[in-house]
Amino acid sequence: MRWMWIDQIIQYEPDRRLVAIKNVSLAEEHLHDHFESGPDGDALPLMPTSLIIEGMAQTAGILVGTMSRFQEKVVLAKVVKATMEKDVVPGQTLRYEAEIERYDPLGASTQGKIFRLTHPETEWEQIGTIDLMFSHLDQNVSGIEFPEENFVFSDNFKTILQSAGLAHLAAIESE
Amino acid sequence: MPETIMTRDDIFKKVQEVLEEALGVDEDEIALETSLTRDLEAESIDFLDIVFRLEKTFTSESAPFKVEQGELFPENLTENPEWVKDGKLTDEGMKMLEDRMPHVDFSGFQDDREVTKVAELITVNSIVEFVERKLTS
């Protein structure tokens, strides 16, 4: 399994906003443990909130990464606030909307909204908010040095950027 | 309309709100003498969060409130051998801190000087003092 919790970037406004979606599928192994069926066969597959937060972290993290054209190693440093009002089940689609709140050489803060779409309806329903803080690893105050290569934005992310027509932001063509 | 000048108490109340949001603590845990790291368990990323929130809170239409890197909290102290020797601040290091951070009370620190304890000296009062100095400068 690949650690990718968004399927596609669907909107991008430079320096401001990025929107991504994820289709929740019953083929995802973790849904069968969360929660597995008991003696009465009462399985309840739910998208774990922790992984919804990861999805927002990837969405907002890419947005923060674009601000430096992926020159900075952007890592999630803090979940400032997360609220979730409704569950997400297989067959539904998640929508992550991330906005830059503040950007600085040391890091960034983002504000995010979570929506779900229950097919065949067409209206997105907001189900939560997730505000995050990211740190630029090489600018960390402890002075620890990290490898030069940008290991945060791996090939997985380049694939996502490429399919959204944003490959130029990560300079994929030059490789 | 002229802006109302903030009193020290107004600043304290706003700083209290900033810390409640940034650190997820309750109002009654935040007194002037409360240390951010020792009492409220703030970590380095929280300091950046606090700086972002202070800028947002105290920026007015007529004047931006911009905090430069290292202005409120000390950074990379141990990298300079003239400031730190054997884990303790040198005379030069102490003077640099006192000059650069007049909002922090170093009076009880002269004997200790343990560099790892510098962050503990930053109290709620330090932040109130910092904001007040910046707003009136």
Side-chain angles (χ1 to χ4, degrees):
Chain A
M1 188 180 79
R2 302 231 168 176
W3 194 249
M4 299 177 78
W5 297 100
I6 55 177
D7 292 334
Q8 196 177 30
I9 295 167
I10 57 168
Q11 282 177 28
Y12 169 61
E13 293 172 44
D15 302 342
R16 202 182 91 75
R17 183 168 177 269
L18 193 118
V19 182
I21 53 162
K22 174 189 165 46
N23 292 307
V24 179
S25 164
L26 205 49
E28 295 171 42
E29 284 291 332
H30 60 96
L31 293 179
H32 298 276
D33 298 320
H34 189 274
F35 297 92
E36 63 184 334
S37 57
D40 304 325
D42 52 351
L44 181 61
L46 293 180
M47 179 70 184
T49 305
S50 53
L51 291 176
I52 294 177
I53 293 173
E54 176 64 26
M56 177 56 83
Q58 294 189 356
T59 306
I62 291 174
L63 176 60
V64 174
T66 62
M67 304 280 287
S68 69
R69 294 230 153 197
F70 298 99
Q71 295 306 299
E72 295 286 355
K73 300 179 184 80
V74 177
V75 293
L76 176 63
K78 179 171 167 178
V79 179
V80 179
K81 195 167 151 189
T83 60
M84 201 65 60
E85 286 158 19
K86 290 182 178 167
D87 293 329
V88 179
V89 297
Q92 290 180 323
T93 303
L94 272 162
R95 176 187 172 103
Y96 298 108
E97 291 191 5
E99 283 188 19
I100 295 281
E101 187 190 23
R102 181 77 168 73
Y103 186 82
D104 185 273
L106 289 176
S109 63
T110 61
Q111 291 184 320
K113 291 178 187 164
I114 310 290
F115 296 82
R116 75 175 183 189
L117 182 63
T118 307
H119 303 280
E121 288 169 25
T122 52
E123 291 277 310
W124 290 95
E125 177 187 12
Q126 187 176 346
I127 57 165
T129 59
I130 300 176
D131 298 341
L132 305 172
M133 283 210 66
F134 294 87
S135 180
H136 290 152
L137 263 194
D138 293 332
Q139 319 289 337
N140 70 90
V141 294
S142 64
I144 298 170
E145 287 186 19
F146 290 90
E148 207 168 299
E149 173 205 348
N150 198 334
F151 52 85
V152 176
F153 294 106
S154 60
D155 290 343
N156 290 345
F157 286 99
K158 288 181 182 167
T159 305
I160 287 177
L161 287 172
Q162 225 157 8
S163 61
L166 299 172
H168 58 285
L169 293 174
I172 286 171
E173 294 94 332
S174 63
E175 290 183 2
Chain B
M1 200 173 80
E3 285 183 45
T4 320
I5 294 171
M6 264 193 248
T7 65
R8 202 176 161 83
D9 199 43
D10 294 335
I11 296 172
F12 171 66
K13 286 197 175 104
K14 283 185 180 288
V15 166
Q16 217 171 11
E17 285 169 23
V18 162
L19 296 176
E20 280 176 58
E21 288 284 321
L23 303 175
V25 294
D26 293 329
E27 187 185 319
D28 59 8
E29 293 177 76
I30 307 166
L32 280 172
E33 65 278 10
T34 307
S35 160
L36 268 60
T37 57
R38 193 182 52 233
D39 302 321
L40 302 179
E41 298 177 355
E43 296 178 11
S44 60
I45 192 67
D46 295 319
F47 288 158
L48 185 61
D49 193 1
I50 291 165
V51 165
F52 282 179
R53 287 172 194 276
L54 289 175
E55 289 182 343
K56 197 172 169 183
T57 303
F58 292 103
T59 288
S60 63
E61 275 181 28
S62 56
F65 189 89
K66 177 85 182 91
V67 182
E68 300 301 330
Q69 192 172 338
E71 193 182 350
L72 179 58
F73 306 109
E75 287 177 16
N76 300 336
L77 285 178
T78 51
E79 282 180 9
N80 190 332
E82 286 178 7
W83 293 342
V84 180
K85 200 176 173 191
D86 300 329
K88 300 235 178 196
L89 283 151
T90 61
D91 288 346
E92 206 173 329
M94 281 301 296
K95 187 175 178 316
M96 178 277 301
L97 279 183
E98 283 167 344
D99 288 348
R100 269 178 37 184
M101 289 187 287
H103 50 282
V104 176
D105 180 9
F106 291 101
S107 57
F109 193 61
Q110 287 294 345
D111 293 334
D112 191 334
R113 295 195 180 199
E114 191 83 40
V115 71
T116 54
K117 292 185 186 164
V118 172
E120 291 179 18
L121 300 176
I122 297 161
T123 60
V124 175
N125 190 61
S126 311
I127 297 181
V128 172
E129 182 83 24
F130 175 80
V131 171
E132 192 177 34
R133 281 168 184 266
K134 270 187 93 77
L135 288 176
T136 52
S137 66

